[in-house]
Amino acid sequence: MKLKTYGLLVSFMLSVSLLAQDIQPSTAESRIQPLPATGPPQAIQLQGVEFVVPELIIGGEWTTTIRLTNRGKTAIPTTNVYFFDNNGNAMSATFQITSGSIITDHGFSFSLGVGGIVEATFIGTSTVTFGFASIGCNTNGCGTPGLYGEATLRNRNATRPDFESVFPLEYPASVQYMLFDGRAGVTTVLYLVNSTTTPQTVNIDVYDVNSKLLRTVPIPMQSEASLILSLHGDLAPETVGIQGTLAIRSASTLPVTITGLRINPSNSFSSMRAFIPSN
């Protein structure tokens, strides 16, 4: 009787295992490869609703590593990633991919099986360039459900340990908020990205801790362009020695991406992210 029961149990478990295999989503190979021969995106493909990889700084003491993973329930099909310099032009860059191969291109394409991870580490020259990367739409649509990624920004100097900070993928929005702190010698550097194909003006409202508006700074931006700005120097010198909140608003309701670096007096830095209001 016990052997019969054991046999039935094994048979049942095997059936369940086979059934589970039937309903498991198929996994695809996770890989990075050069862009297809079609090259950089046409203007209509970038609408500002794609994921943005911010803080893409390459060359000199700087390098960036992009890591992507699929935490969804189905494989992510071939998806293109495009690089843009600070003036909105397609940016050619050299990077090493997960397999160890080195590619020079204006971007790359990737596919991700469930749970898969791919990585691209940029190799710069003595000249510093900066911009952003845009993750385009694929056959599953835009926004790429299940995709998570981050950019590790690293500053390397032989006289000290490396400084680095991590920036998750960002989703552009027309209104965002960011905390700032200008006390104790800390400085704030803002990184703005207009990933749309339309020039726009971004207004930054500077508030103190009592929600008093100190000033509004209009910032004109080219299409598909990036800007690096010093909050305490270029934009609002009155923020030195105080803390408060920035409200970042697109004058035309177009989406924009903003991140930043909080830099302490020793020049080490940490990432700053904006938050999007829920209503």
Side-chain angles (χ1 to χ4, degrees), residues 59-72:
E61 296 181 352
W62 298 91
T63 189
T64 303
T65 297
I66 297 175
R67 302 175 71 229
L68 302 170
T69 185
N70 178 9
R71 303 313 307 170

Side-chain angles (χ1 to χ4, degrees), residues 122-245:
F122 291 85
I123 303 169
T125 64
S126 59
T127 302
V128 178
T129 58
F130 72 94
F132 74 98
S134 177
I135 299 177
C137 306
N138 56 40
T139 55
N140 288 348
C142 297
T144 316
L147 179 67
Y148 173 79
E150 59 188 31
T152 302
L153 178 65
R154 180 177 296 109
N155 182 276
R156 176 165 292 171
N157 187 299
T159 64
R160 53 157 173 77
D162 294 354
F163 295 153
E164 67 176 42
S165 195
V166 174
F167 293 85
L169 293 183
E170 297 288 348
Y171 194 77
S174 59
V175 178
Q176 301 177 63
Y177 297 96
M178 178 181 283
L179 298 172
F180 72 86
D181 191 346
R183 300 171 299 173
V186 173
T187 59
T188 298
V189 175
L190 303 178
Y191 201 106
L192 274 69
V193 174
N194 175 19
S195 58
T196 74
T197 56
T198 304
Q200 63 167 310
T201 296
V202 177
N203 292 319
I204 298 183
D205 300 324
V206 184
Y207 293 92
D208 66 11
V209 293
N210 297 311
S211 200
K212 176 185 175 182
L213 179 63
L214 302 179
R215 72 164 65 192
T216 296
V217 185
I219 302 173
M221 296 195 70
Q222 303 175 41
S223 60
E224 300 166 0
S226 307
L227 291 172
I228 298 177
L229 301 168
S230 169
L231 173 63
H232 309 300
D234 300 336
L235 302 181
E238 64 269 40
T239 57
V240 175
I242 69 170
Q243 59 179 326
T245 305

Side-chain angles (χ1 to χ4, degrees), residues 25 33 43 51 83 98 101 116 118 122-123 135 158 188 230 264 272:
Q33 57 191 12
F51 276 123
F83 309 146
T98 314
S101 299
V118 293
F122 291 85
I123 303 169
I135 299 177
T188 298
S230 169
N264 69 30
M272 299 175 63

Side-chain angles (χ1 to χ4, degrees), residues 35 39-41 45-46 80-84 106-108 132-136:
L35 283 173
Q45 290 181 273
L46 283 180
N80 293 334
V81 178
Y82 302 103
F83 309 146
F84 296 88
H106 294 91
F108 59 82
F132 74 98
S134 177
I135 299 177

Side-chain angles (χ1 to χ4, degrees), residues 26-39:
S26 60
T27 58
E29 180 184 5
S30 299
R31 63 178 180 173
I32 286 180
Q33 57 191 12
L35 283 173
T38 52

